[in-house]
C-alpha cells in the first residue's frame, strides 16, 4: 500500500509513514461501516456505554505511547500531549453517562405518540491537526453511543496517533464499527461526498467547512461544522493586571496559539494597557520554546509548514506596515518566539484574520462600547472572554458578544457536559453535552392509534 511521510515539526525529520488510502479502499471501508451499523445499533445502550468505558481504559493503558506520538507529529510539549490523551479518556467516560431522551408527546385514550432519537448510520469524523486525539473526544464517543458506526479521517499532518488508537481498539469493538482512514488531499472530499456517509462531523477551517457544506448539499448529508475563530478578550479598566496577565498570556500562547478557542485579539482598556503589555512582554521573553520532547519546554514549534507560512506572512505584514513589534518573531525551523504586536490598526491583517499561531495583537480602547463593536465586527463567532474585578459589569459585556461561548475571568474551559459551537461563520451545530450527542441522531416519532 502506498504511504506518505509525517514530519516532526520540531526537527524536520520523519516521524513515521501513514497509509495513503485509495478511492477503492475507501469504498470498502464505507461498505464495512454500513454493514456493521445495524448490528451496532441493535445492541442495548448499556452495551454501547460499556464499549465507551472499555475504550477509555485502552487509552489510559497506552497514554504515554499515544502522547509521545502526538508530540512527535504535532509538536506540543509532552506534558500537554499527556493532558490531551487524559482528556480523551475522560470525555469517553463522561459521554458514556449521557442518555438519549425519549419524549412522550401524547398518551391518552386516543393514541400514544413517542419521539425517540435514532442513529443516523455512518458518521465521517474529520479532524484538524492541532489536537489530533483531543478532537476525537467530541465525535467518536457520542457517535458510537448513539448507535452509529464511525470513520475517522485525521489531518494529513497528524494521522499517526489516530491510526495507533485505531489499532489499539481493534479487539475492543466489532469490525467496521470504528475505522481510521488516512490519505492525501483527495481523501476528505471523497469521504464527505460519499453516498454511503450519513453524517459529517467536521472540525477545521471555515474555508474547508464551506466546501464540506457545499458537497453535503447534493445528498442532504447531515453536518456539524466546528470552524475557525478570531476570539476577542476584553479587559475592563478595573481588572488587576497582576492577576490577569499570565492567564491572558496562556490564553493566547498555549499550544503555540493553535487552538480554535485561543485568544486571538486582546482588547485592553487604556488604564491597564501599559501594565498588562509590559507583563506579557516579560512572559514572552522568559517562556521556554523548543522541542516538545525536551524537559521544561512550554511552547513547541508551529505545527507544520502550511501553518508556519501563514504565521510568518502575518508577521511580515506587521513588519512591512511598520507596526510596533513588542517582542518575538521567527527563530529557526518552524519555531516562533511568542510575538506581541502593539496596538495595530483595527483593519490590520493580524487583527482581522485568524492567525492560529503564536502572534497576538494588543488593542487599546477607552470606551467599552467601542471594544464591543470592534470585537463583534468580524465573520467569526466562536469564543470570547471578558475580564474584570466586577463580575456583573463583565457579565453585561459578555451577554453582548457574538460568540458561541463567552467566559468571564477565565477562558477555554470546556466540559463533557457543556455544549460548545460557533455562531456566524464559526460553525453549525454543537459538540459535547447532551446537545452534542443528539447531533449524531435523527428524531423518529412513532404514533399508535388505539
Ligand atoms: P483544514 O480545514 O485545513 O483541515 C481540517 C480537516 O479537513 C483535515 O483533516 C483535512 O485533511 C480535511 N480537509 C481538507 N480539505 C478538505 C475538503 N475539501 N473536504 C473534506 N475534508 C477536507 O483545517 P486545519 O488547518 O487542519 O485546522 C485549523 C483550523 O481548524 C483553524 O481554522 C481552527 O480555528 C479550526 N479549528 C476549529 C475548532 C472548533 O472546534 N471550532 C477546533 C480546532 C480547530
Amino acid at each position: 500500500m502506498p504511504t506518505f511521510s509525517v514530519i516532526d515539526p520540531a526537527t524536520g525529520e520523519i516521524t513515521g509513514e501513514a497509509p495513503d488510502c485509495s478511492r477503492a479502499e475507501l469504498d470498502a471501508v464505507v461498505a464495512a461501516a454500513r454493514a456493521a451499523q445495524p448490528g451496532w445499533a441493535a445492541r442495548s445502550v448499556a452495551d454501547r456505554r460499556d464499549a465507551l468505558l472499555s475504550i477509555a481504559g485502552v487509552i489510559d493503558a497506552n497514554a504515554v505511547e499515544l502522547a509521545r506520538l502526538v508530540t512527535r507529529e504535532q509538536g506540543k510539549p509532552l506534558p500537554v500531549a499527556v493532558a490531551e490523551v487524559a482528556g480523551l479518556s475522560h470525555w469517553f467516560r463522561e459521554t458514556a453517562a449521557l442518555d438519549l431522551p425519549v419524549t412522550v408527546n401524547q398518551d391518552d385514550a386516543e393514541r400514544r405518540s413517542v419521539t425517540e432519537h435514532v442513529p443516523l448510520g455512518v458518521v465521517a469524523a474529520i479532524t484538524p491537526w492541532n489536537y489530533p486525539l483531543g478532537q476525537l473526544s467530541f465525535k467518536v464517543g457520542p457517535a458510537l453511543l448513539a448507535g452509529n458506526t464511525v470513520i475517522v479521517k485525521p489531518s494529513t499532518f497528524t494521522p499517526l496517533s489516530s491510526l495507533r488508537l485505531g489499532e489499539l481498539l481493534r479487539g475492543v469493538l466489532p469490525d467496521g464499527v470504528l475505522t481510521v482512514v488516512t490519505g492525501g488531499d483527495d481523501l476528505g472530499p471523497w469521504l464527505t461526498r460519499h453516498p454511503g456517509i450519513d453524517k459529517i462531523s467536521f472540525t477545521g477551517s471555515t474555508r474547508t467547512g464551506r466546501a464540506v457544506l457545499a458537497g453535503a448539499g447534493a445528498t442532504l448529508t447531515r453536518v456539524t461544522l466546528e470552524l475557525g475563530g478570531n476570539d476577542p478578550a476584553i479587559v475592563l479598566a478595573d481588572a488587576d493586571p497582576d492577576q490577569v496577565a499570565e492567564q491572558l498570556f496562556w490564553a493566547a500562547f498555549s499550544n503555540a496559539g493553535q487552538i480554535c478557542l485561543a485568544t486571538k485579539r486582546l482588547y485592553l482598556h487604556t488604564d491597564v494597557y501599559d501594565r498588562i503589555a509590559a507583563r506579557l512582554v516579560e512572559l514572552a521573553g522568559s517562556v521556554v520554546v523548543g522541542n516538545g520532547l525536551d524537559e521544561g519546554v512550554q511552547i513547541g514549534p508551529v505545527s507544520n509548514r502550511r501553518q508556519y507560512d501563514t504565521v510568518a506572512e502575518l508577521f511580515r505584514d506587521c513588519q512591512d506596515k511598520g507596526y510596533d513589534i513588542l517582542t518575538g518573531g521567527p527563530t529557526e525551523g518552524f519555531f516562533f518566539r511568542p510575538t506581541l504586536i502593539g496596538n495595530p490598526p483595527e483593519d490590520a491583517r493580524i487583527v482581522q484574520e485568524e492567525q492560529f499561531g503564536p502572534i497576538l495583537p494588543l488593542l487599546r480602547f477607552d470606551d467599552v462600547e467601542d471594544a464591543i463593536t470592534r470585537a463583534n465586527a468580524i465573520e467569526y463567532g466562536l469564543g470570547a472572554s471578558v475580564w474584570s474585578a466586577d463580575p456583573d459589569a463583565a457579565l453585561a459585556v459578555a451577554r453582548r458578544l457574538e460568540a458561541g461561548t463567552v467566559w468571564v475571568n477565565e477562558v477555554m474551559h470546556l466540559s463533557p457536559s457543556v455544549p460548545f459551537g460557533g455562531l456566524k461563520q464559526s460553525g453549525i451545530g454543537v459538540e459535547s453535552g447532551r446537545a452534542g450527542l443528539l447531533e449524531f441522531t435523527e428524531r423518529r416519532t412513532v404514533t399508535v392509534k388505539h
Side-chain angles (χ1 to χ4, degrees), residues 23 30 67 73 83 90 106 136 139 174 177 211 265 395 400 407 410 419 440:
R23 174 77 217 207
V30 174
E73 65 180 353
H90 172 64
Q106 186 181 347
L136 298 176
K139 302 184 188 303
V177 170
R265 297 175 287 156
L395 197 56
R400 293 178 58 198
W407 290 274
E410 67 169 354
F440 292 101

Side-chain angles (χ1 to χ4, degrees), residues 125-131 135 138-139 153-158 183-193 200 202-209 211-212 225-230 258-261 264 304 306-307 354 356 380 382 414 420-422 426-427 431:
I126 300 182
T127 54
W129 45 261
N130 64 336
Y131 281 83
Q135 292 289 349
F138 317 124
K139 302 184 188 303
K153 195 213 81 65
S155 167
T156 309
F157 295 113
T158 55
D185 291 343
D186 287 337
L187 186 58
W190 286 344
L191 185 59
T192 52
R193 289 163 188 261
I200 302 162
F202 172 85
T203 302
S205 64
T206 293
R207 208 176 103 215
T208 312
V212 168
L225 303 175
E226 292 292 343
L227 308 178
N230 193 354
Q258 303 164 125
I259 305 181
C260 54
L261 293 162
K264 300 194 173 106
N304 53 68
R306 196 185 70 190
Q307 194 58 33
E354 182 191 30
F356 212 65
Y380 295 114
L382 194 56
L414 298 178
F420 78 90
S426 284
E431 294 192 312

Side-chain angles (χ1 to χ4, degrees), residues 240-315:
D240 177 354
D242 293 332
Q243 228 174 46
V244 300
E246 192 163 346
Q247 292 180 72
L248 291 168
F249 179 84
W250 289 112
F253 293 108
S254 293
N255 206 32
Q258 303 164 125
I259 305 181
C260 54
L261 293 162
T263 295
K264 300 194 173 106
R265 297 175 287 156
L266 180 51
Y267 291 93
L268 299 169
H269 189 275
T270 196
D271 288 356
V272 289
Y273 183 100
D274 292 331
R275 279 179 65 197
I276 291 179
R279 180 72 184 121
L280 292 175
V281 168
E282 207 173 80
L283 286 162
S286 63
V287 294
V288 183
V289 179
N291 185 329
L293 289 181
D294 292 345
E295 205 160 321
V297 164
Q298 294 167 287
I299 297 178
V302 177
S303 206
N304 53 68
R305 155 74 55 201
R306 196 185 70 190
Q307 194 58 33
Y308 180 84
D309 288 346
T310 301
V311 175
E313 190 185 314
L314 287 171
F315 180 72

Side-chain angles (χ1 to χ4, degrees), residues 192-193 200 209-223 225:
T192 52
R193 289 163 188 261
I200 302 162
R210 288 190 196 108
V212 168
L213 186 58
T219 45
L220 292 183
T221 306
R222 278 39 173 173
V223 295
L225 303 175

